[in-house]
């Protein structure tokens, strides 16, 4: 029997809901989510397999103006993820409006000459119909090759079913690209480092979230327990006490929340040990960026 298959890159400025949508589509946590822009640093594949076929969705970092070397790398991952996709799913956020950063996204998308589906996300928070129509018209003007526009809520799942059906209809006939029980192209080790980083992002403020890298030093399955030891890297010594918290209270919260999520994801008991380390200005040093962000493979 023939099936439909192809790759779809989720594209948009930071914070529009790309990672939330990929998690809703796959029905599992594939990509971490926070209310801070530039949460996603890597290209992360989420694999949807149904009777109709298989779609590989790529969550990409938000397209933005880079402020440091790490930002340049992340932008490169975001823009190079577009190439080779069968379809771009561009996400815009009416609660934030259209900004310069959406125009930056449109430049990259239009240059790619890949067909576009436009998803207007967070409609659960944006109920005024006239304003929404206005927003939709302005967003559609930005992109050259829009085939369809959808109003969705990635968080609540509204409109997502119709979106998926239409993507399947659009994709060519082909063969399954991955084994049918696989839901991501990322390793368990990668997931562990991302979930730890998510908990840092969710529990800290201002510049801390963006200054953090996570390196998994040990990941060993000891039968009845999965042992994970990881370093949380910050870029200034003044940031270390903030991550540790009073008497170690903050790192304890981060560790407990990460352990609970990882136990759910891996369906296994986990022993998680976290260490906070300082590497001055790591976000501006090439070798340290590759070491602390899992970007090494993507940038080759
Ligand atoms: N109300 C509402 N909030 C949403 C929806 N989708 C995402 N959000 C919120 O928007 C914020 C950003 O979501 P993410 O999924 O991390 O966004 P992203 O586009 O992947 O962000 P980057 O990694 O920075 O590129 C989070 O606080 C989400 O909970 C939605 O449909 N409705």
């Amino acid at each position: 029997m023939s099936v439909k298959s192809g790759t779809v890159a989720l594209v948009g400025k930071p914070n529009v809901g790309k990672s939330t949508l990929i998690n809703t589509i796959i029905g599992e946590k594939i990509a971490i989510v926070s209310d801070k822009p530039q949460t996603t640093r890597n290209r992360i594949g989420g694999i949807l397999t149904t009777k109709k076929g298989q779609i590989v969705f790529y969550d990409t970092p938000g397209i933005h103006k880079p402020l440091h070397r790490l930002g340049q790398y992340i932008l490169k991952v975001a823009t190079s993820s577009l190439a080779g996709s069968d379809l771009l799913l561009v996400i815009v956020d009416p609660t934030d409006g259209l900004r310069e950063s959406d125009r930056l996204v449109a430049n990259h998308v239009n240059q790619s000459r890949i067909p576009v589906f436009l998803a207007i996300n967070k409609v659960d928070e944006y109920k005024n119909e006239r304003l929404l129509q206005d927003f939709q018209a302005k967003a559609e003007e930005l992109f050259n090759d829009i085939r369809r526009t959808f109003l969705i809520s990635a968080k609540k799942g509204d409109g997502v079913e119709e979106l998926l059906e239409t993507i399947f209809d659009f994709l060519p006939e082909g063969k399954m690209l991955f084994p049918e029980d696989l839901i991501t192209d990322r390793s368990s080790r990668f997931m562990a480092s991302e979930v730890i980083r998510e908990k840092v992002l969710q529990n800290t403020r201002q510049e801390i979230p963006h200054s953090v890298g996570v390196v998994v030093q040990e990941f060993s399955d000891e039968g009845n327990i999965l042992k994970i030891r990881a370093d949380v890297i910050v870029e200034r010594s003044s940031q270390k006490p903030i991550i540790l918290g009073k008497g170690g209270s903050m790192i304890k919260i981060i560790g407990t929340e990460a352990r609970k999520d990882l136990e759910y994801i891996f369906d296994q008991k986990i022993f998680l040990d976290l260490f906070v380390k300082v590497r001055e200005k790591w976000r501006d040093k090439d070798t340290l960026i590759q070491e602390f962000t899992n970007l090494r493979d993507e940038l080759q």
Side-chain angles (χ1 to χ4, degrees), residues 12-21 23 31-41 59-63 91 93 95 121-125 152-157:
K13 70 183 173 188
N15 235 19
V16 290
K18 299 179 289 298
S19 301
T20 306
L21 180 60
N23 291 341
I32 63 171
V33 172
S34 89
D35 59 359
K36 319 281 190 304
Q38 290 170 45
T39 298
T40 304
R41 289 176 175 166
D59 187 13
T60 65
I63 291 176
I91 305 181
D93 176 358
T95 69
N121 190 28
K122 308 193 188 180
V123 294
D124 56 298
E125 262 195 23
I152 65 165
S153 165
K155 205 170 185 172
K156 305 228 155 112

Side-chain angles (χ1 to χ4, degrees), residues 145-171:
D145 192 10
I146 297 182
R147 305 296 173 94
R148 283 285 303 264
T149 300
F150 300 84
L151 301 179
I152 65 165
S153 165
K155 205 170 185 172
K156 305 228 155 112
D158 302 340
V160 174
E161 205 49 52
E162 190 198 340
L163 171 68
L164 292 177
E165 291 305 309
T166 319
I167 293 176
F168 268 121
D169 290 344
F170 175 85
L171 288 177

Side-chain angles (χ1 to χ4, degrees), residues 21 87 108 120-121 203 206 253 293:
L21 180 60
L87 177 71
H108 286 287
I120 299 176
N121 190 28
N203 284 290
Q206 288 168 355
I253 292 170
T293 58

Side-chain angles (χ1 to χ4, degrees), residues 7 65 105-106 114 141 146 152 182 192 198 200 229 238 254 257 299:
T7 55
K65 269 212 176 89
V105 170
I114 299 170
E141 270 173 26
I146 297 182
I152 65 165
L182 204 66
E198 179 186 63
V200 175
R229 190 166 54 80
S238 59
I254 291 167
E257 289 184 5
L299 294 170

